[in-house]
Amino acid sequence: MQLSGDYNGGRARTPGTVGELGEFGLIRQLTSRLTTTPAVRIGPGDDAAVVAAPDRRVVATTDILLEGRHFRRDWSTAYDVGRKAAAENLADIAAMGAFPTALLLGLVVPAELPANWPMELMDGIRDEAQVASAAVVGGDVVRGATITVSITALGDMRNREPVTRFGARPGDVVAFTGWLGWSAAGHAVLSRGFRSPRAFVEAHRRPEPPYHAGPAAAGLGATAMTDVSDGLVADLGHIAEASKVRIDLRSADLDVPAQMSDIGQAVGVDPLHWVLTGGEDHALVATFPPDAKLPARWRKIGDVLAPSAQPQVTVDGAAWEKAGGWDHFGSGEES
Amino acid sequence: MQLSGDYNGGRARTPGTVGELGEFGLIRQLTSRLTTTPAVRIGPGDDAAVVAAPDRRVVATTDILLEGRHFRRDWSTAYDVGRKAAAENLADIAAMGAFPTALLLGLVVPAELPANWPMELMDGIRDEAQVASAAVVGGDVVRGATITVSITALGDMRNREPVTRFGARPGDVVAFTGWLGWSAAGHAVLSRGFRSPRAFVEAHRRPEPPYHAGPAAAGLGATAMTDVSDGLVADLGHIAEASKVRIDLRSADLDVPAQMSDIGQAVGVDPLHWVLTGGEDHALVATFPPDAKLPARWRKIGDVLAPSAQPQVTVDGAAWEKAGGWDHFGSGEES
């Protein structure tokens, strides 16, 4: 089966279901949508891909997303799910201070799923990879009951040392770049049946991690770094624990946009809670030596202190309630 | 929760369900079972792993396995599923002529699954990785209805050129090493409710790909190579198509062990059919220049011919019926 001439928003539609296309037809169509980069030495279609790793080390991470748990087809298009699934893996590469190079996709799809869904998913993954200068180099597709998107991202350090979670030292400053709480505010809007304000709904559907800021932070001497996937307090907790330090955030430095405050008022939630505990925006948060010159897009929000009793992360010197982040086994809700 | 002192077959049992352990408890316990290698620069627990890639290229492949489709808990232990899931990815690395270095695991588990199941799965993945001198360096665990095991394998070429599927030339010889049809024979036994002959049942539960033979074949000048995952005729069909050649196999050179003939007679199947179309043993099949000196464990089974009309792969000059291999969307059966 060939791509039909029936276009939708610039993207070719594929008629029928994935079951009608068959495994090899689906793989052929998915592969035909991909683009490549000079780093890709052997792309999809062989037993394995071969990707340049000029640094002589490869950075690698994997995440697995399920329909109903990590995304909903009535809230997000396939294209958005693809962008988001790619983004969260690419952000993990950037959070090591590395440059993304390649993605691999493992995909489970029901036979009765419209064939257009995986095609648009692939478009989303491809386009987000391109934002980060990476390419999809391989994958696997199988039939199953629940749509499952498993992505592995690879990256290259370009002769910098990886920025881990265990290098923060007392006296360092804490800073972030990107977005905090936007996805959570969008989730709050969507879960109450609304579709606006659009900026927050869009942020929930399609995060925009600041990929290039990861290697830049490594170049600026970041001592520890992570991306905010579970929530600022929770993810800084991982740095605090790994680095054996305490981290104190200043709420006055955490910008709450006026529109986010409006949503908070409308739904009865302190918007600072979204900023401190909302995941999925994939901001980058890092610790830097006190004399580091941070570019304008990094915002200082706290300090690294000597270790003390729990909690390891405080806000204005005190614990932030309900700041545990997501435990993906603790709740049946879409998160 | 700590590992209990209640042992089973030398492996510590973890009481309760994965839901009771919780996401972080499960990840901690899974991670505690892992071993490392000198290639692992940063292992599990950070945003991403960092693995040596001395060749300046990384080889990468991914596969996704579902319960009920690729494995059954009443047929295979969790440990065997782990061995098999790792093996099929590691074999893809070997089939490029590369040395496996690392695995990443994406795992979906129901909350009510006994916690011991993912632990033994992890043990199996770890042990199979060790057979191939690789290590598990990262992963992701989420809750879902269907047990899903998504593995990505990485490897290093060690300054050899990758052996692809498109280099076979007329005049080359076709040879394989490893096992052919054993898993299919074991599947036939199991699907009829039997548990023996043990050797074939074991081969179905736990393939033994000849990992080291992949780089060795590259060193011997293999012009094309793949691992037999879908069946010999189907996988050679991929080489024939990519290389634009025809391949003819000689059935007299395809060893059918006496015990396999016995099973065939018992269940009314020509055992040669298992040898020619059975997947999942992950033998390596390759084409070599006619003057290549093949070691004893490689067996010559056919020739590469100039392209002609369909079919691209013949047996004793004729098409092999029902030789299409698996289409994973074409059937609801466990394969």
Side-chain angles (χ1 to χ4, degrees), chain B residues 76-124:
Chain B
S76 298
T77 65
Y79 183 79
D80 284 342
V81 173
R83 295 285 299 241
K84 188 170 186 165
E88 73 172 67
N89 282 281
L90 295 162
D92 280 329
I93 298 295
M96 299 301 288
F99 294 86
T101 54
L103 296 181
L104 297 101
L105 167 68
L107 180 62
V108 180
V109 280
E112 63 276 15
L113 185 71
N116 213 48
W117 203 92
M119 302 305 153
E120 295 198 4
L121 177 87
M122 188 85 264
D123 290 347

Side-chain angles (χ1 to χ4, degrees), chain B residues 201-269:
Chain B
V201 169
E202 282 299 305
H204 178 71
R205 289 180 176 145
R206 194 191 295 180
E208 293 186 2
Y211 302 120
H212 56 282
L220 291 166
T223 52
M225 181 158 53
T226 190
D227 75 308
V228 180
S229 51
D230 294 333
L232 182 64
V233 172
D235 288 309
L236 281 174
H238 299 147
I239 285 182
E241 188 177 346
S243 300
K244 298 185 175 62
V245 296
R246 184 163 77 85
I247 286 173
D248 186 49
L249 300 174
R250 264 187 314 283
S251 61
D253 290 334
L254 287 163
D255 237 7
V256 176
Q259 226 181 354
M260 195 188 285
S261 296
D262 293 345
I263 303 172
Q265 200 153 29
V267 303
V269 172

